Amino acid sequence: MAGLIGLDWGTSSLRAMRFEADGRLLETRQRPWGIRVLPEGGFAAALAHICEGWPTLPILASGMVGSRQGWSETGYVDTPAGPADLAAHCVTLDTHRDQRVRIVPGVRDAQGPDVMRGEEVQVFGALSAHPERRADTWLVLPGTHSKWVQVREGRIHRLHTLMTGELFALLRTHSILGAGVPDDAGADETCFLQGVETARASSASGAFSRLFAARANVLDGRMPAAGVPDFLSGLLIGEELRAAEAAGWTDSAPLLVGDPSLCERYRRAADVFGWRWSDTCTDAAARGLFLLAGLIGDAASVPPAQGAA
Amino acid sequence: MAGLIGLDWGTSSLRAMRFEADGRLLETRQRPWGIRVLPEGGFAAALAHICEGWPTLPILASGMVGSRQGWSETGYVDTPAGPADLAAHCVTLDTHRDQRVRIVPGVRDAQGPDVMRGEEVQVFGALSAHPERRADTWLVLPGTHSKWVQVREGRIHRLHTLMTGELFALLRTHSILGAGVPDDAGADETCFLQGVETARASSASGAFSRLFAARANVLDGRMPAAGVPDFLSGLLIGEELRAAEAAGWTDSAPLLVGDPSLCERYRRAADVFGWRWSDTCTDAAARGLFLLAGLIGDAASVPPAQGAA
């Protein structure tokens, strides 16, 4: 392999990573060109613009770009799903002739049912940085749709989606709870921890039965209106941890994967629950894309059916 | 009392009821003039329009009209709160000279903290129709903000707000789960019951950990996109029942108060949980306003402090 361009292409943004042949990351570029907010010229134009000045290299893309609303629909691989399964089911774009563009499939857990697109690449990237955890572990990928992923023998075994980030945005922007919050409300650690503690204390009834507290506390003079966003953030992240604990998803120290500042919020919330978290992996997408590209190179010489085994 | 005009004045609508001196309801009018969507001329104009052609009678109003964003801020009465406590703390408008207009205070439960405005009148109206339940019972008032109210010795003892209706509207209108749902999606009882059952089966982890199932089920071909709204409705109402059960709020047969079709949804959901519901009270606001107006007539001759005791 002469090198690689990796694309992490989601709903709201596009990130392009240029790798050397030895896996070294030379440059990363980011644009607000998610699959719902493309520039004029659509997918092909977005790709051409973000790669401007880079040499012609194989391209491997993951995320919502492979969904029905994406560039080319790429199916799901069922659990248990390992890197070789993903590599064997990548789809090569036939609409883009100058450069070979492949898209990674999503992963489907039929037991939920539950699905993901993009996070599966981060899972294997994170495991490549922590090979000692491949045998049996949980990974947590916070975000708009948080993913809790159980790995056994190096393959994704179970998968659970919690809509924490999307619920936070809905409540902050559109609900009565967000009304009256000043636009320049700064960070409020006390309210964040109060939200986490409220979720923890909600026990089996769950934090959504305590959601209105964000308003009642303000009316009662117990919380500043500017503290509502952090209270809600703490309440929803706390609810995610509470639900995971109640469902028995956790092991002793799940691996936290993703945006550093968001991971830091989860770490502070976990302290309230008395959890220990292991390392945080913040370059998981880059690692995962390069890993899969290597497997595709290998897999090209064997029939897909064997590659999927 | 020569008769009464009762106003149920909330955030999104205004309902006016004209009573005879003996309590008989002569006429009800409804307009979309909630406190956030007033006609030109504001509160006074809305009142004048909706009462057009009616005789000049004492007016008693309840609901968000007494909030900080309402016509005249009317405080909260703390729990335990009975009808006499509400009657003693009604506020008389000094801005409206032609007619005496009083506003009923809200109720505050300091233990939550939690608050309500308008539902307290419905609670006492419903109890006047079911006097055998005054000693010790639970009432459930479904809506944008559902209220679970514990009554002891004829007074509101505890109060819990669940934002079920608002969460449903947010998810239906603004979330990824509502995307792709046809505008003319009709009722789907199977999906509704599937949502209720999903909430019940979520056990201590709670139904919000299963919210993404609304999307995964559709992607997986297990549910039609048009069934998503009823699935969400069932999931959220089911979560309300699950949380109430986990918190021990219920007695054997809570009294259901409010809009008949919404109450019917709660009744069907409760069947899945094996609950028995007692009667549904659908004219609780009218009953409550007339009851309180009678008490204010009595209470006018005693000082407020004694009236509040």
Side-chain angles (χ1 to χ4, degrees):
Chain A
M1 191 162 63
L4 175 76
I5 294 172
L7 303 177
D8 179 9
W9 206 335
T11 302
S12 55
S13 77
L14 165 62
R15 195 156 53 107
M17 292 156 272
R18 183 184 156 202
F19 299 90
E20 278 281 42
D22 63 0
R24 198 155 43 95
L25 186 58
L26 287 177
E27 190 185 350
T28 297
R29 296 173 180 175
Q30 182 140 1
R31 299 285 182 279
W33 295 332
I35 66 161
R36 283 189 177 173
V37 280
L38 291 167
E40 198 177 334
F43 289 100
L47 181 61
H49 286 312
I50 204 164
C51 294
E52 207 171 314
W54 285 356
T56 300
L57 292 169
I59 294 177
L60 184 62
S62 67
M64 291 301 282
V65 68
S67 70
R68 195 163 303 168
Q69 294 77 37
W71 197 348
S72 181
E73 191 172 0
T74 313
Y76 296 101
V77 172
D78 277 333
T79 55
D85 306 306
L86 295 181
H89 290 87
C90 287
V91 166
T92 303
L93 266 191
D94 53 11
T95 52
H96 199 70
R97 294 178 186 173
D98 302 339
Q99 229 163 349
R100 194 170 63 189
V101 180
R102 283 197 170 101
I103 301 179
V104 181
V107 170
R108 171 176 169 271
D109 176 353
Q111 281 185 68
D114 211 324
V115 291
M116 64 182 173
R117 269 194 195 282
E119 295 91 350
E120 67 292 338
V121 169
Q122 296 180 54
V123 165
F124 297 118
L127 289 175
S128 78
H130 297 273
E132 76 286 359
R133 310 198 50 136
R134 288 171 39 88
D136 190 2
T137 197
W138 282 87
L139 297 94
V140 179
L141 300 92
T144 302
H145 294 171
S146 287
K147 304 287 179 181
W148 289 66
V149 179
Q150 185 178 31
V151 167
R152 284 193 188 161
E153 294 164 20
R155 299 168 96 185
I156 293 171
H157 187 73
R158 289 301 312 270
L159 152 66
H160 305 283
T161 301
L162 288 103
M163 296 178 61
T164 305
E166 183 163 2
L167 282 164
F168 174 78
L170 289 178
L171 290 167
R172 173 73 180 85
T173 311
H174 297 292
S175 83
I176 183 83
L177 305 180
V181 175
D183 285 338
D184 58 348
D188 189 325
E189 181 67 8
T190 306
C191 288
F192 176 76
L193 292 174
Q194 193 181 341
V196 177
E197 179 53 35
T198 300
R200 199 194 58 76
S202 73
S203 186
S205 16
F208 284 87
S209 71
R210 304 289 293 123
L211 195 53
F212 193 66
R215 182 167 171 80
N217 275 323
V218 172
L219 288 172
D220 218 37
R222 301 189 196 193
M223 196 165 79
V228 166
D230 270 310
F231 177 84
L232 287 176
S233 169
L235 190 78
L236 296 180
I237 292 174
E239 170 63 8
E240 191 173 327
L241 301 183
R242 191 203 64 78
E245 201 167 65
W249 294 343
T250 54
D251 62 6
S252 60
L255 182 60
L256 204 47
V257 180
D259 170 71
S261 68
L262 189 54
C263 285
E264 180 51 31
R265 274 186 182 259
Y266 274 66
R267 197 179 279 279
R268 295 202 315 272
D271 284 343
V272 175
F273 280 73
W275 289 20
R276 201 167 52 83
W277 291 74
S278 74
D279 295 325
T280 302
C281 183
T282 57
D283 62 346
R287 283 178 165 274
L289 283 166
F290 192 80
L291 171 83
L292 287 181
L295 291 177
I296 292 169
D298 294 343
S301 60
V302 299
Q306 284 185 35
Chain B
M1 190 161 65
L4 175 76
I5 294 172
L7 303 177
D8 179 8
W9 206 333
T11 302
S12 54
S13 76
L14 165 62
R15 195 156 53 108
M17 294 156 270
R18 183 184 157 204
F19 299 91
E20 278 280 42
D22 62 359
R24 198 155 42 94
L25 186 57
L26 287 177
E27 190 184 349
T28 297
R29 295 173 179 175
Q30 181 139 2
R31 300 284 182 278
W33 295 333
I35 67 161
R36 284 189 178 174
V37 279
L38 292 168
E40 198 176 335
F43 289 100
L47 182 59
H49 286 312
I50 204 165
C51 294
E52 207 172 314
W54 285 356
T56 300
L57 292 169
I59 294 177
L60 184 61
S62 67
M64 291 301 283
V65 68
S67 70
R68 195 163 302 169
Q69 294 77 37
W71 198 347
S72 180
E73 190 172 359
T74 312
Y76 295 101
V77 172
D78 276 333
T79 55
D85 305 307
L86 295 182
H89 289 87
C90 286
V91 165
T92 304
L93 265 192
D94 54 11
T95 52
H96 198 70
R97 293 177 188 174
D98 304 339
Q99 230 165 346
R100 195 171 63 189
V101 181
R102 283 198 171 102
I103 301 179
V104 181
V107 169
R108 171 176 169 271
D109 176 352
Q111 281 185 68
D114 211 325
V115 291
M116 63 182 173
R117 270 193 195 282
E119 295 91 351
E120 67 291 338
V121 169
Q122 296 180 54
V123 165
F124 296 119
L127 289 175
S128 78
H130 297 273
E132 76 286 359
R133 311 198 49 137
R134 288 171 39 88
D136 190 2
T137 196
W138 281 89
L139 296 93
V140 179
L141 299 92
T144 303
H145 294 172
S146 287
K147 305 287 179 181
W148 289 67
V149 179
Q150 185 178 31
V151 167
R152 284 193 187 161
E153 295 165 19
R155 298 167 98 185
I156 293 172
H157 186 73
R158 289 301 312 269
L159 152 65
H160 306 283
T161 301
L162 287 103
M163 295 178 62
T164 305
E166 183 163 1
L167 283 164
F168 174 77
L170 290 178
L171 291 166
R172 172 75 179 85
T173 311
H174 297 291
S175 84
I176 183 82
L177 305 181
V181 175
D183 286 338
D184 59 347
D188 189 324
E189 181 68 7
T190 305
C191 288
F192 175 76
L193 292 174
Q194 194 181 340
V196 177
E197 179 52 36
T198 300
R200 199 193 59 75
S202 73
S203 186
S205 16
F208 283 88
S209 71
R210 304 289 294 122
L211 196 53
F212 193 67
R215 183 168 170 80
N217 275 322
V218 172
L219 288 172
D220 217 37
R222 301 189 195 193
M223 195 165 80
V228 166
D230 270 310
F231 177 84
L232 286 176
S233 169
L235 190 79
L236 295 180
I237 292 173
E239 171 63 8
E240 191 174 327
L241 302 183
R242 191 203 63 77
E245 203 167 64
W249 295 343
T250 54
D251 62 6
S252 59
L255 182 60
L256 204 47
V257 180
D259 170 72
S261 68
L262 189 55
C263 286
E264 180 51 31
R265 274 186 182 259
Y266 274 66
R267 198 180 277 279
R268 296 202 312 272
D271 284 343
V272 176
F273 280 73
W275 290 20
R276 200 167 52 84
W277 292 73
S278 74
D279 296 326
T280 302
C281 182
T282 58
D283 62 347
R287 283 178 167 274
L289 283 166
F290 192 80
L291 171 83
L292 286 182
L295 291 177
I296 291 169
D298 295 343
S301 61
V302 300
Q306 285 185 34

